[in-house]
Amino acid sequence: MEIERIFSNNRKWIAEKLSADCEYFKKLSVGQNPEYLYIGCSDSRVTAEELMGVQPGDVFVHRNIANMVPNTDLSSMSVINYAVSHLKVKHVIVCGHYYCNGVKAAMQSADLGILNPWLRNIRDVYRIHKTELDSIIDEEEKYKRLVELNVQEQCINIIKTPDAQKAYKLRGVKVHGWVFDVRSGKLIDLKIDFNKILENIMEIYRII
Ligand code: CO
């Protein structure tokens, strides 16, 4: 796509929004009060707002390679802090996607330079769930299951943060694990049993 096309698309979009509501941008400029924090993959096929059918102002979004929440990553930690403790979102979503190249790369032996430490976190997910993953013979199924387990582990990483623990205690903030299936367009709720996981892990990770 030509760069100029993007700017003409923008002008068209402004006109559409204003024709439906002439105060649209004035209202947007007042502030944001999103109920959701969405953490997803940077993959160009997984467009957060479009796949959820939401509008500007509805969702606070953070995207990185393979929807990771590493505890030492200043970017994702800042996003969680701001969304949970300041914007006071009600739901935190980690959304992975099948056919994620980041997850695929972590299943292979290759030196990817700066990506090594980032993707190492996914290798750790594999190690934690090695017994289950090794029992899956079909490579594609194994790859898809690692995508799901990675979402689950990143949800647990969120629960490890004091921001999420405080918000859970005070406001009952919920953490959700989803997967977007690129092949069908379907959004799948993994229905992760957080009460069970919390019971198991809070003994170790409780901060507050
Ligand atoms: Co991806």
Side-chain angles (χ1 to χ4, degrees):
M1 193 195 287
E2 300 268 337
I3 287 282
E4 288 76 18
R5 178 85 183 276
I6 291 171
F7 287 90
S8 72
N9 285 345
N10 173 252
R11 286 189 291 273
K12 221 190 306 172
W13 176 72
I14 293 169
E16 277 167 18
K17 289 292 185 193
L18 291 177
S19 75
D21 177 3
C22 61
E23 303 268 271
Y24 184 79
F25 292 103
K26 201 178 157 194
K27 285 177 192 161
L28 264 193
S29 70
V30 173
Q32 60 170 338
N33 188 24
E35 290 191 8
Y36 302 92
L37 163 62
Y38 168 101
I39 298 173
C41 185
S42 296
D43 192 302
S44 59
R45 300 165 297 176
V46 189
T47 55
E49 287 91 346
E50 199 175 327
L51 71 89
M52 289 189 282
V54 297
Q55 296 301 315
D58 288 341
V59 184
F60 199 69
V61 173
H62 179 71
R63 291 169 70 180
N64 62 34
I65 293 174
N67 41 270
M68 304 300 289
V69 187
N71 291 307
T72 52
D73 173 38
L74 195 54
S75 183
S76 57
M77 288 298 120
S78 303
V79 165
I80 290 168
N81 172 264
Y82 186 65
V84 171
S85 296
H86 296 271
L87 294 174
K88 298 200 168 18
V89 296
K90 294 186 176 124
H91 302 271
V92 180
I93 298 148
V94 176
C95 184
H97 68 103
Y98 295 139
Y99 314 104
C100 179
N101 291 325
V103 172
K104 180 129 220 181
M107 290 174 79
Q108 289 154 359
S109 299
D111 183 353
L112 298 171
I114 190 68
L115 287 172
N116 291 332
W118 190 259
L119 298 176
R120 218 283 317 279
N121 295 299
I122 306 174
R123 292 182 196 272
D124 291 340
V125 174
Y126 197 110
R127 178 171 51 80
I128 293 166
H129 297 278
K130 190 175 186 299
T131 312
E132 180 186 344
L133 288 164
D134 282 353
S135 73
I136 304 170
I137 311 294
D138 185 85
E139 274 302 307
E140 191 170 315
E141 287 306 312
K142 191 190 294 225
Y143 173 23
K144 287 171 91 170
R145 185 62 185 141
L146 181 56
V147 165
E148 296 172 359
L149 291 168
N150 183 46
V151 167
Q152 183 176 310
E153 290 302 324
Q154 303 318 313
C155 289
I156 291 171
N157 281 345
I158 290 169
I159 297 166
K160 290 174 192 168
T161 67
D163 290 299
Q165 290 184 17
K166 261 182 239 162
Y168 180 72
K169 217 172 177 179
L170 293 172
R171 306 187 282 114
V173 162
K174 289 194 174 70
V175 181
H176 308 263
W178 296 350
V179 168
F180 176 70
D181 185 355
V182 178
R183 197 167 274 182
S184 66
K186 219 178 228 174
L187 194 54
I188 301 154
D189 185 350
L190 294 176
K191 296 196 166 68
I192 298 167
D193 188 348
F194 280 107
N195 288 334
K196 201 172 135 202
I197 290 172
L198 282 173
E199 261 172 44
N200 287 338
I201 69 160
M202 285 312 274
E203 197 185 324
I204 305 164
Y205 294 107
R206 187 181 303 281
I207 291 174
I208 61 149

